[in-house]
Amino acid sequence: MAGRPQLTANVTELPCEVSVPTRWRQIALTLVVVGLLVATFNLVLAWGLRHTTPNRGYWLVKTKFQMLRGLEAPVDRLVLGDSTCNQGVRPEILEARLGGSTINLCTFGPNGLVDDALMLDAYVRKFGPPKSVIVVHAPDVWSRPINYYTLSQAPLGDGDLRWLGGNGLLGASARLKIFLGEYVPIYSAGKGAAELLRHPFNSASRRFELEPNGFMKVDPDPENTRSDIDRVVRGLNMYAKPLSGSNAVALEAMAALADKEGFDLVLFHSPVCDLLIERPETMREYTALNVKLNAQAAKSSHVFVGAEAAWTWPAEQMQNADHLTTTSSVAYTVKMAEALAKLDHSTP
Amino acid sequence: MIFTSLVFLIFFAVVYAAYLGTQRHLRLQNALLLCASYVFYGYWEWRFLLLIVGSTLVDYWVARRLNGTDDSRRRKRLVALSVVVNLTVLGFFKYFNFFISSTKTALELAGWTSDLSTLDIILPVGISFYTFQTMSYTIDVYRRRMKPANSLLEFAVFVAFFPQLVAGPIERAQTFLPQIQKPRTITAEGVNAGLFLILWGFFKKAVIADNVAVVANTIFDDVGGYEGLDLLAGVLAFTIQIYGDFSGYSDIARGLAKLMGFELMLNFKLPYFALSPAEFWQRWHISLSSWLRDYLYIPLGGNRGGTVLTYRNLCLTMLLGGLWHGAAWHFVLWGAFHGTILVVYRLVPSPGRPLPGWTVVPRWAVMFGLTMVGWVIFRAASLQDIGTLLGGLGLQSSSVTAGLYADLLFFSWPLIVMQVFQHKTRNLLCVTRLPQPVLWVLYGLMLLWLLVFGMSHNTEFIYFQF
């Protein structure tokens, strides 16, 4: 630039790049050591996330599986499903209305019906058949394929893996994802890891609380509910089939177990916001899904559809598009109890 | 193909393995580089490869013809042909709709009606970068500053070299073509520096820029909905975002090139340490500012025609520099703003001796503030938003203020620390001089942050749109 006309002038001393003499061995050593450091950190993080995760869904899966493992006596009624059911079905109301003991083991949507089937299988192996099983899912969850990264958050034992393998749900890709989900959080749980590092004391177990019967209390959030409608509709539009392959396999397996062991399996739709039911995508989904669920019920003497129509609530009584609050969960569970009583199949 | 995508990492691993395997065969290696570059570009939109190929053929042919004649009129016609072809392509794809809609608006303001209509034109990625690069080649051959390339293959690699194809640095044929023409030597020093630049570039893009972008977008998408301190957080966030994004890309490009034995020009020299607009342009997007100096400012007369003409040339250069960034009035305004502050700083009489040390901080603060004002003009969606944002800056806080600053600080402190270290040592590679154990820990932490906090979705680099 010296001696040439300048677009600019009066510049202070500028930085430059000064390389340092390096040997190839130093570079190789750096790559190896950095690789080892990252691997070590990854394992520490995996350990940390196993004990304290900020992700509510992951925490639910872990906690509910632990509840199942920790059960010391059989219960009459198992409630399985996703997070809509986790905060929508109150076991004490079912107990009061229908009698018998009930536990809510619902987890969250990404695991679909597969972890319902895993839990049911594990329960039956441990205690024998319950008297009835209720399965509840949000409209978009029925159509979602299983997410093995989230499934890996469950403490999967040999029996669980055998069940997955026996039902054709444990191919090489699934095994890899379960491994990555369990042992490589820097790849599989980036957001959770980031949240844990940023807010180490903000774990899900500090923010949420489960009652001893598995029910979780939640406050209303009408604004969030209104804006959440599109999320569910997007989910409905994402998949063509109303019942995904992995969910169909899980449902089939649960139905087969119900027939074999002689307990009732009752399927319910989750509660939804009345604004969601107005969307044509939602109605289309329910129509197609009910055909599938009724077909499954027709094949088995122990499988029932609790109610074909979805029960709706105004946004003010919901946490989001398909999740109830503590107050409105009472009405949902009462409706469910009435439907079960009508079916006259659930009363132990 | 975006540098921060898994596809690119696989692509580069394959290309690099093949590149190392062809180290003893220059022509084969150059052919590999060309194929890889075309795949890299064609992965986005293969039809626009024709533009690059067309531009390559025209400028190669023009330069060969220029070399074969001493007839000055013929030489002028040839170089004009190159400039016209390149600017026509650039003008059509980048500025046609802008020109039409601006003309229409002007006619309507004058009370005329018009049925001018815009076209549905897709802007080819990186067109402004490679067009300027090839134009500078023919102009340099015309000025007899260099001999034309003897090999079309070598020239095609110069135009399409994939690390810097879509967002620069805008290389000069005089320095880059010779590197393509002779066998490259891959040294441990180069690889060491390259690895640092790639890691730091990824870090700046995926950890810093993409995360502070969340703060910037929140504010800029709703400028009327926030208090003064929130608006300031948004402006600071964009100031960090655009630097992290663009310099991150440049670092990755230069790092990849170093791994292959090439040396690309430095594009950034800690621009936010500038004490004046003049210094800022010596530090920011250096390959563009030096291009504008050599091929626009100097031909306009530079500072040879007296004070007024110098100011005119400065303003014109910066206006066109602003327009280079995009076909929108706010880019032109941004250029005009920088032209104006360059002139205003020149109007202040120089004391003729170095300014005392205590003036550094206030001079830096003023320049940093002006830079941020520039970024408001650059980023805001409308002139009204610029007014709302600049007028609304203040010390009023809201319920979200603390959260915005917490996010901003959490993601930008590594940048601040690194830049201060680089500034103090006057060495952009100062990190590579750290003792090895310190370096291992630092690289490990950077990689971990990248894996944990790097935005998982592939966010395009801002400068791809230019």
Side-chain angles (χ1 to χ4, degrees):
Chain A
M1 300 284 295
R4 302 182 64 189
Q6 298 288 303
L7 176 62
T8 54
N10 300 326
V11 173
T12 55
E13 189 191 342
L14 295 176
C16 56
E17 285 184 348
V18 185
S19 294
V20 62
T22 314
R23 283 175 296 174
W24 287 108
R25 207 181 59 149
Q26 282 175 295
I27 295 174
L29 195 60
T30 300
L31 292 175
V32 170
V33 173
V34 169
L36 286 174
L37 275 175
V38 172
T40 308
F41 177 82
N42 172 69
L43 289 178
V44 171
L45 197 61
W47 178 84
L49 284 169
R50 206 167 293 155
H51 289 87
T52 173
T53 173
N55 185 312
R56 188 183 73 167
Y58 286 13
W59 169 74
L60 266 180
V61 175
K62 285 178 208 298
T63 311
K64 290 296 178 80
F65 267 85
Q66 278 161 8
M67 278 179 77
L68 174 64
R69 296 265 164 87
L71 267 184
E72 288 173 356
V75 290
D76 297 309
R77 194 178 295 108
L78 289 182
V79 184
L80 304 172
D82 54 35
S83 53
T84 62
C85 158
N86 172 59
Q87 62 193 67
V89 179
R90 307 184 70 145
E92 73 276 15
I93 295 177
L94 292 180
E95 288 170 354
R97 295 242 166 183
L98 304 169
S101 56
T102 305
I103 187 165
N104 180 330
L105 292 175
C106 301
T107 58
F108 82 140
N111 285 353
L113 276 78
V114 173
D115 72 357
D116 304 347
L118 283 174
M119 283 179 157
L120 180 57
D121 183 68
Y123 179 89
V124 171
R125 272 188 278 122
K126 186 172 179 181
F127 294 114
K131 290 185 176 161
S132 69
V133 175
I134 295 161
V135 173
V136 184
H137 282 288
D140 59 321
V141 169
W142 297 96
S143 58
R144 277 192 230 170
I146 176 75
N147 181 333
Y148 287 99
Y149 294 127
T150 59
L151 185 68
S152 71
Q153 299 307 306
L156 299 173
D158 288 342
D160 301 314
L161 294 174
R162 266 200 305 277
W163 185 93
L164 288 168
N167 285 284
L169 293 173
L170 198 62
S173 162
R175 278 180 191 277
L176 177 67
K177 285 176 180 168
I178 289 173
F179 174 82
L180 291 172
E182 200 170 355
Y183 297 109
V184 193
I186 53 173
Y187 175 80
S188 62
K191 276 188 182 167
E195 193 58 28
L196 179 67
L197 292 177
R198 285 196 70 181
H199 308 289
F201 303 111
N202 196 27
S203 64
S205 58
R206 281 171 180 257
R207 289 179 287 134
F208 305 103
E209 197 178 345
L210 287 176
E211 294 187 348
N213 60 20
F215 175 73
M216 193 173 88
K217 290 181 174 176
V218 179
D219 295 327
D221 192 347
E223 282 311 307
N224 179 45
T225 300
R226 288 186 193 96
S227 59
D228 192 50
I229 303 290
D230 285 338
R231 173 192 63 84
V232 179
V233 172
R234 269 200 307 280
L236 294 175
N237 288 332
M238 202 175 286
Y239 304 104
K241 290 182 182 174
L243 191 65
S244 70
S246 55
N247 281 343
V249 167
L251 183 57
E252 189 79 42
M254 285 193 286
L257 196 59
D259 286 340
K260 183 184 164 196
E261 301 287 349
F263 62 83
D264 289 342
L265 180 71
V266 191
L267 311 174
F268 280 95
H269 296 302
S270 72
V272 289
C273 177
D274 50 12
L275 299 170
L276 179 62
I277 212 81
E278 291 167 5
R279 302 286 285 263
E281 293 94 338
T282 316
M283 287 315 297
R284 229 179 6 248
E285 172 74 12
Y286 277 124
T287 307
L289 181 59
N290 282 332
V291 169
K292 290 278 180 190
L293 299 185
N294 283 322
Q296 185 66 54
K299 282 198 288 184
S300 162
S301 55
H302 287 89
V303 178
F304 305 91
V305 177
E308 286 199 12
W311 297 322
T312 62
W313 270 262
E316 288 67 27
Q317 294 177 27
M318 302 205 70
Q319 187 210 8
N320 63 28
D322 47 14
H323 287 71
L324 292 172
T325 61
T326 307
T327 312
S328 46
S329 65
V330 174
Y332 178 73
T333 316
V334 168
K335 273 177 176 267
M336 177 179 276
E338 286 167 356
L340 288 169
K342 263 190 209 164
L343 285 171
D344 196 28
H345 286 290
S346 183
T347 309
Chain B
M1 212 181 286
I2 302 166
F3 282 169
T4 47
S5 68
L6 186 63
V7 178
F8 177 76
L9 296 180
I10 295 166
F11 164 83
F12 185 72
V14 172
V15 170
Y16 195 52
Y19 184 85
L20 294 177
T22 53
Q23 265 294 69
R24 292 183 181 178
H25 310 279
L26 181 62
R27 273 182 68 82
L28 189 60
Q29 200 175 50
N30 281 339
L32 169 76
L33 278 180
L34 185 64
C35 288
S37 300
Y38 284 173
V39 168
F40 174 83
Y41 195 81
Y43 185 84
W44 168 69
E45 175 59 77
W46 65 270
R47 283 173 299 181
F48 287 134
L49 268 178
L50 296 176
L51 287 179
I52 295 184
V53 173
S55 182
T56 304
L57 291 174
V58 168
D59 288 318
Y60 180 74
W61 180 82
V62 166
R64 302 285 298 172
R65 289 284 173 170
L66 278 170
N67 198 44
T69 178
D70 286 327
D71 179 347
S72 64
R73 284 179 59 193
R74 184 168 159 72
R75 288 174 63 80
K76 270 187 187 163
R77 279 204 300 271
L78 281 166
V79 78
L81 172 70
S82 164
V83 171
V84 166
V85 167
N86 281 302
L87 290 184
T88 302
V89 171
L90 182 62
F92 175 74
F93 282 98
K94 191 162 179 173
Y95 300 105
F96 180 81
N97 282 344
F98 173 64
F99 175 74
I100 293 292
S101 59
S102 298
T103 307
K104 203 172 168 183
T105 308
L107 288 173
E108 282 166 5
L109 284 173
W112 296 45
T113 55
S114 83
D115 55 358
L116 292 170
S117 56
T118 54
L119 299 175
D120 189 15
I121 300 170
I122 300 170
L123 178 67
V125 168
I127 190 169
S128 309
F129 290 91
Y130 69 75
T131 302
F132 270 40
Q133 186 160 311
T134 55
M135 260 181 3
S136 72
Y137 164 74
T138 44
I139 295 170
D140 282 352
V141 172
Y142 169 75
R143 289 175 174 173
R144 300 187 197 279
R145 295 226 171 108
M146 64 176 293
K147 293 278 181 199
N150 289 318
S151 153
L152 179 60
L153 172 64
E154 289 163 357
F155 181 67
V157 173
F158 161 73
V159 177
F161 186 57
F162 71 86
Q164 49 85 240
L165 173 60
V166 292
I170 304 167
E171 284 298 316
R172 301 296 181 84
Q174 288 179 70
T175 52
F176 193 46
L177 205 48
Q179 298 184 53
I180 298 167
Q181 289 165 333
K182 64 175 198 261
R184 273 74 64 174
T185 308
I186 299 173
T187 63
E189 284 77 12
V191 171
N192 192 34
L195 288 174
F196 164 71
L197 286 173
I198 292 169
L199 182 58
W200 181 227
F202 270 109
F203 191 91
K204 279 194 280 189
K205 163 65 181 164
V207 177
I208 300 171
D210 286 353
N211 280 296
V212 297
V214 177
V215 176
N217 294 342
T218 303
I219 301 300
F220 276 91
D221 289 350
D222 181 20
V223 293
Y226 291 94
E227 297 294 341
L229 272 177
D230 305 338
L231 297 176
L232 184 62
V235 179
L236 276 167
F238 185 68
T239 302
I240 293 164
Q241 182 200 350
I242 192 157
Y243 174 68
D245 189 284
F246 191 19
S247 73
Y249 181 92
S250 284
D251 281 356
I252 300 169
R254 297 186 65 250
L256 293 171
K258 275 180 191 285
L259 293 191
M260 293 190 280
F262 289 97
E263 196 62 48
L264 300 183
M265 73 183 292
L266 257 174
N267 220 9
F268 293 90
K269 293 183 178 177
L270 310 178
Y272 293 152
F273 284 89
L275 302 180
S276 67
E279 192 178 333
F280 179 80
W281 286 104
Q282 290 270 0
R283 293 169 177 266
W284 177 273
H285 202 174
I286 300 162
S287 65
L288 176 68
S289 59
S290 60
W291 196 100
L292 292 171
R293 178 198 65 206
D294 293 345
Y295 301 102
L296 189 59
Y297 178 69
I298 294 172
L300 281 171
N303 49 10
R304 296 189 302 271
T307 309
V308 175
L309 279 179
T310 301
Y311 294 165
R312 183 207 67 175
N313 296 340
L314 272 175
C315 286
L316 267 177
T317 304
M318 296 317 293
L319 268 179
L320 289 168
L323 195 59
W324 176 91
H325 284 80
W329 284 108
H330 65 106
F331 290 127
V332 179
L333 194 61
W334 176 73
F337 172 76
H338 271 280
T340 306
I341 59 174
L342 273 168
V343 170
V344 169
Y345 266 69
R346 280 182 173 239
L347 285 170
V348 177
S350 167
R353 57 186 160 74
L355 292 167
W358 65 265
T359 64
V360 169
V361 172
R363 280 192 289 153
W364 169 81
V366 170
M367 187 55 220
F368 189 66
L370 288 171
T371 307
M372 289 205 296
V373 172
W375 292 135
V376 171
I377 299 168
F378 191 93
R379 171 64 174 80
S382 65
L383 293 178
Q384 191 186 353
D385 276 5
I386 296 170
T388 308
L389 219 155
L390 292 177
L393 289 173
L395 296 174
Q396 308 89 332
S397 62
S398 72
S399 59
V400 298
T401 308
L404 291 172
Y405 279 94
D407 283 352
L408 193 56
L409 197 63
F410 184 82
F411 290 110
S412 55
W413 73 261
L415 181 74
I416 297 166
V417 171
M418 177 72 87
Q419 300 249 300
V420 169
F421 187 34
Q422 289 173 319
H423 179 69
K424 287 284 175 199
T425 56
R426 293 275 188 267
N427 181 6
L428 299 171
L429 296 177
C430 55
V431 166
T432 61
R433 304 185 86 87
L434 290 170
Q436 275 224 302
V438 180
L439 198 63
W440 295 336
V441 174
L442 185 66
Y443 279 9
L445 287 174
M446 281 167 70
L447 198 53
L448 290 169
W449 265 59
L450 189 57
L451 290 165
V452 172
F453 293 107
M455 285 291 202
S456 52
H457 55 274
N458 296 325
T459 316
E460 281 205 351
F461 289 85
I462 293 176
Y463 265 67
F464 277 18
Q465 64 189 292
F466 307 140

